């Protein structure tokens, strides 16, 4: 087999990639493989495809008439939501806020979740930890009220107030 | 060493909040990120890191790092300046400007995921103390791709599953575990092919679960696969003993005496021998030794071992020579 790039030398380097179950092969000679610098698995392409698949059912119909949709642009990097959809990549940390509303269905599709419950960086951590604790206590409070455990509910309410005071002091 | 788990790996994706992400980055930004991270890493007292700028590395050295799984193909093909810091034991690598500004990766041989997580977590804490991470209260660690947001964590195992493959169970297993949020990949990760019956399995969900739960989920599914692979090996041994013995010894024979061998063929044969050792058929070689071979037979590793560039034809001859030497 000859190299697919130059057609001059025999192909000795063989790459295989599987995208959505479709197998694509690439056969290159040593020289052309070296010029390419490395094995290019073309990951961004596969992720884009993957994302497009995820996005279609949610946004498909609306996307056909883009004139009805306001173009959202990230204040941080200038990326548009269209551009994000095409590349499958965010342009900067602010994109998350800029596209905020549109991200919930996407994250739900990918992760089945829209809220991080894992590690909190220690530097910015304390406030977040307190807020998380308050959220948890509020759920407990509702349960206590539902079960008519009013003494316990009062206890929890005090704890929440105390934590909220701590937050506002920051 | 480990009959089924070849390696355990943890990866954390992190970004800086004050620089565009890699897709919107120019070479100047990329260079600045590299310098900032290099500076921070040099302050670390606990590990000793070697630092490499990818574009300054010779082609062969880059390939060696890929074959050792210390860097990803994506880091090398990055359009902007990229770099990597590697600890001297070659367990930890911090990739800079891959898909994310930072990819902290810890890789150990055998079943060592907990240790890998502890190391990765510690390095993450250290870096976070010196760099402004992109983090959001609701969405956690902000990553370049929405598939990594939240924890930015990928926990993965490289599993050697020759018996399940031979018995034709893998298709069904892959279908089942994919439904449980586990991804199955080949030897070099995303998009790569399964060779030598080596499968990489890892979590797909990164948002909405704490790190410990994500890891525990991958571990529990891995443990079930390990158990099935061991059962399958016993089944093969009890029902097809002479077939298996013949297969294992033939492969061992070729490895021991071949004069010319490609990396793909070598991988397949090594896989048989590895299974044979775990079944007690081959006693004169250890799994440790076989796992050394598993690494060394790769194209760039061969050239690195002999200290010079070679044509593919020459490599196949030298590969056979090296295998004979190690198995002797
Ligand atoms: Zn060519
Ligand atoms: Zn942006």
């Amino acid at each position: 087999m000859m190299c697919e790039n130059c057609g001059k030398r025999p192909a000795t380097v063989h790459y295989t990639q599987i995208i959505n179950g479709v197998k694509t092969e690439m056969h290159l000679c040593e020289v052309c493989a070296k010029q390419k610098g490395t094995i290019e698995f073309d990951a961004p392409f596969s992720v884009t495809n993957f994302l497009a698949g995820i996005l279609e059912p949610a946004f498909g119909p609306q996307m056909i008439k883009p004139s009805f949709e306001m173009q959202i642009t990230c204040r941080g990097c200038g990326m548009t939501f269209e551009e994000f959809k095409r590349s499958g990549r965010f342009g900067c940390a602010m994109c998350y806020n800029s596209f905020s509303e549109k991200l919930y269905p996407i994250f739900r599709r990918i992760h089945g979740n829209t809220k991080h419950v894992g590690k909190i960086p220690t530097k910015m951590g304390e406030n977040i930890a307190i807020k998380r604790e308050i959220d948890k206590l509020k759920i407990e409070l509702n349960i206590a009220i539902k079960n008519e455990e009013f003494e316990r509910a009062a206890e929890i309410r005090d704890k929440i107030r105390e934590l909220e005071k701590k937050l506002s002091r920051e | 060493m480990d009959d089924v788990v070849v390696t355990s790996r943890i990866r954390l994706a992190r970004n800086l909040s004050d620089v565009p992400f890699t897709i919107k980055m120019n070479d100047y930004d990329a260079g600045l990120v590299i310098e900032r991270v290099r500076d921070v890493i040099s302050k670390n007292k606990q590990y000793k890191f070697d630092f490499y700028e990818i574009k300054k590395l010779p082609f062969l050295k880059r390939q060696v790092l890929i074959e050792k799984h210390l860097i990803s193909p994506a880091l090398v093909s990055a359009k902007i300046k990229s770099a990597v810091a590697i600890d001297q034991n070659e367990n930890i690598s911090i990739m800079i400007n891959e898909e994310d500004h930072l990819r902290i990766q810890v890789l150990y041989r055998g079943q060592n995921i907990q240790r890998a997580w502890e190391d990765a977590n510690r390095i993450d804490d250290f870096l976070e103390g010196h760099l402004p991470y992109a983090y959001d209260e609701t969405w956690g660690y902000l990553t370049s791709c929405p598939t990594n947001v939240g924890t930015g964590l990928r926990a993965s195992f490289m599993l050697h599953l020759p018996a399940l493959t031979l018995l034709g169970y893998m298709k069904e297993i892959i279908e089942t575990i994919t439904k449980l949020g586990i991804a199955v990949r080949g030897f070099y990760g995303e998009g790569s092919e399964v060779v030598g019956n080596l499968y990489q399995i890892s979590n797909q969900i990164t948002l909405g679960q704490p790190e410990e739960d994500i890891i525990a989920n991958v571990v529990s599914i891995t443990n079930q696969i390990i158990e099935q692979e061991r059962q399958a090996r016993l089944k093969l041994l009890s029902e097809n003993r002479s077939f298996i013995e013949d297969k294992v010894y033939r492969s061992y024979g070729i490895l021991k005496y071949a004069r010319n061998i490609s990396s793909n063929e070598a991988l397949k044969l090594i896989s048989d021998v590895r299974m044979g050792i775990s079944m007690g058929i081959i006693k004169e070689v250890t799994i440790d030794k076989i796992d050394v071979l598993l690494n060394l037979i790769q194209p760039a590793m061969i050239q690195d071992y002999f200290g010079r560039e070679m044509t593919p034809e020459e490599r196949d001859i030298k590969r056979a020579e090296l295998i004979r030497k190690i198995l002797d």
Side-chain angles (χ1 to χ4, degrees):
Chain A
M1 187 190 305
M2 299 307 277
C3 169
E4 284 177 1
N5 194 45
C6 63
K8 286 182 208 145
R9 290 171 286 263
T12 51
V13 186
H14 309 281
Y15 304 149
T16 310
Q17 60 179 19
I18 299 162
I19 296 164
N20 300 331
V22 183
K23 198 163 151 181
T24 324
E25 285 178 49
M26 187 160 62
H27 309 279
L28 299 173
C29 70
E30 188 107 320
V31 178
C32 291
K34 207 176 252 191
Q35 265 169 8
K36 287 213 163 236
T38 179
I39 309 165
E40 281 178 279
F41 283 119
D42 220 354
F45 174 67
S46 73
V47 172
T48 309
N49 268 7
F50 168 58
L51 254 197
I54 288 168
L55 290 167
E56 272 334 306
F59 295 103
Q62 289 102 306
M63 282 295 119
I64 298 166
K65 350 169 207 167
S67 52
F68 291 118
E69 195 152 351
M70 251 217 325
Q71 185 78 309
I72 308 171
T73 306
C74 172
R75 287 165 293 126
C77 66
M79 180 177 267
T80 63
F81 186 70
E82 275 299 298
E83 208 181 331
F84 162 67
K85 268 186 62 182
R86 232 179 303 121
S87 65
R89 297 279 188 281
F90 292 107
C92 74
M94 278 163 84
C95 284
Y96 279 85
N97 264 327
S98 311
F99 306 145
S100 166
E101 287 309 308
K102 289 175 168 278
L103 295 181
Y104 287 96
I106 297 174
F107 289 170
R108 194 163 294 121
R109 257 164 212 279
I110 299 175
H111 301 286
N113 276 298
T114 54
K115 179 130 185 59
H116 175 62
V117 292
K119 190 173 172 179
I120 304 167
T122 41
K123 227 198 296 184
M124 54 185 93
E126 211 187 333
N127 267 352
I128 300 172
I130 293 171
K131 282 186 201 161
R132 254 191 217 176
E133 182 66 22
I134 292 174
D135 285 346
K136 222 175 77 195
L137 287 171
K138 279 183 179 162
I139 295 167
E140 277 179 40
L141 179 64
N142 279 334
I143 295 168
I145 292 171
K146 218 190 234 163
N147 294 342
E148 304 190 351
E149 298 168 332
F150 297 114
E151 217 168 293
R152 183 166 153 66
E155 245 172 62
I156 297 170
R157 190 170 309 144
D158 288 347
K159 238 193 252 173
I160 293 174
R161 277 195 191 135
E162 207 174 289
L163 288 173
E164 277 172 342
K165 235 184 267 166
K166 215 167 160 187
L167 264 189
S168 59
R169 242 183 285 133
E170 299 274 328
Chain B
M1 185 174 170
D2 204 307
D3 59 341
V4 181
V5 181
V6 183
T7 57
S8 309
R9 169 157 48 170
I10 290 285
R11 183 219 75 191
L12 295 173
R14 300 290 187 252
N15 287 281
L16 308 187
S17 59
D18 56 357
V19 192
F21 288 177
T22 53
I23 192 176
K24 284 277 185 188
M25 233 180 181
N26 55 35
D27 240 11
Y28 178 76
D29 292 330
L32 281 185
V33 170
I34 290 174
E35 284 322 308
R36 282 165 78 183
V37 177
R38 185 210 286 264
D39 185 51
V40 169
I41 289 173
S42 72
K43 291 194 177 90
N44 188 286
K45 296 279 178 291
Q46 192 172 7
Y47 305 96
K48 207 156 161 27
F49 285 102
D50 290 321
F51 203 92
Y52 306 99
E53 281 182 44
I54 299 299
K55 290 207 165 68
K56 291 184 185 163
L57 282 179
F59 176 79
L60 186 60
K61 176 76 180 173
R62 297 178 194 176
Q63 294 301 320
V64 166
L65 294 179
I66 291 177
E67 288 178 6
K68 287 181 171 176
H69 291 98
L70 285 166
I71 63 173
S72 63
L75 186 75
V76 173
S77 55
K79 291 191 177 60
I80 45 168
K81 272 188 199 160
S82 61
V84 65
I86 298 171
D87 88 296
Q88 288 189 327
N89 297 323
E90 298 199 330
N91 294 313
I92 306 164
S93 55
I94 303 168
M95 289 180 251
I96 307 166
N97 298 336
E98 203 237 33
E99 186 182 291
D100 294 288
H101 291 146
L102 291 166
R103 288 261 169 125
I104 304 161
Q105 183 198 272
V106 185
L107 182 133
Y108 282 112
R109 294 196 47 218
Q111 211 169 5
N112 252 318
I113 201 80
Q114 201 49 41
R115 187 173 167 207
W117 161 240
E118 281 160 20
D119 281 338
N121 199 18
R122 197 177 308 126
I123 290 160
D124 183 43
D125 286 343
F126 171 77
L127 292 174
E128 180 238 310
H130 298 84
L131 295 162
Y133 270 4
Y135 182 90
D136 180 275
E137 235 182 282
T138 307
W139 292 316
Y141 294 92
L142 305 180
T143 52
S144 180
C145 181
T147 56
N148 292 314
V149 73
T151 57
L153 171 78
R154 195 121 294 155
S156 57
F157 290 104
M158 178 87 75
L159 302 179
H160 182 224
L161 306 173
L164 288 173
T165 308
L166 202 60
L167 290 171
Y169 293 154
M170 277 320 291
K171 193 171 173 279
E172 203 188 319
I173 290 174
I174 291 172
E175 271 168 20
T176 312
I177 63 176
T178 305
K179 282 183 200 135
L180 299 172
I182 298 290
V184 184
R185 300 183 170 94
F187 196 47
Y188 290 109
E190 194 174 340
S192 71
E193 205 178 2
V194 169
V195 276
N197 305 311
L198 293 165
Y199 300 81
Q200 238 186 75
I201 77 159
S202 59
N203 63 296
Q204 239 164 351
I205 288 164
T206 55
L207 182 67
Q209 285 174 19
E211 287 80 357
E212 288 75 12
D213 290 7
I214 292 173
I215 294 168
N217 185 38
V218 183
V219 168
S220 117
I221 288 165
T222 299
N223 283 339
Q224 292 175 50
I225 298 173
I226 293 171
E227 196 41 50
Q228 288 187 51
E229 169 65 22
R230 287 181 182 152
Q231 293 299 329
R233 288 182 195 181
L234 288 175
K235 184 178 156 76
L236 277 178
L237 205 52
S238 67
E239 290 172 14
N240 301 285
R241 181 162 201 116
S242 66
F243 166 78
I244 285 299
E245 280 183 348
D246 182 65
K247 185 176 170 62
V248 165
Y249 270 116
R250 264 171 199 276
S251 296
Y252 187 45
I254 297 172
L255 282 176
K256 267 194 97 161
Y257 296 105
R259 292 306 196 254
N260 185 316
I261 195 163
S262 73
S263 56
N264 257 353
E265 187 188 4
L267 264 174
K268 282 177 194 146
L269 300 170
I270 285 171
S271 170
D272 290 343
V273 172
R274 199 180 190 279
M275 176 177 73
I277 299 168
S278 80
M279 287 173 161
I281 297 171
I282 291 180
K283 296 193 177 69
E284 51 269 55
V285 192
T286 61
I287 284 196
D288 270 326
K289 213 175 204 181
I290 275 295
D291 284 351
V292 168
L293 261 190
L294 198 63
N295 269 314
L296 276 182
I297 54 139
Q298 300 176 90
M301 292 289 283
I302 284 281
Q303 300 174 69
D304 190 54
Y305 182 89
F306 288 101
R308 61 186 170 87
E309 288 197 34
M310 296 173 194
T311 65
E313 294 75 21
E314 204 183 344
R315 255 175 3 221
D316 290 351
I317 294 168
K318 282 296 186 184
R319 180 177 295 113
E321 185 187 315
L322 179 62
I323 294 171
R324 290 201 306 275
K325 195 172 139 193
I326 288 181
L327 288 183
D328 210 20

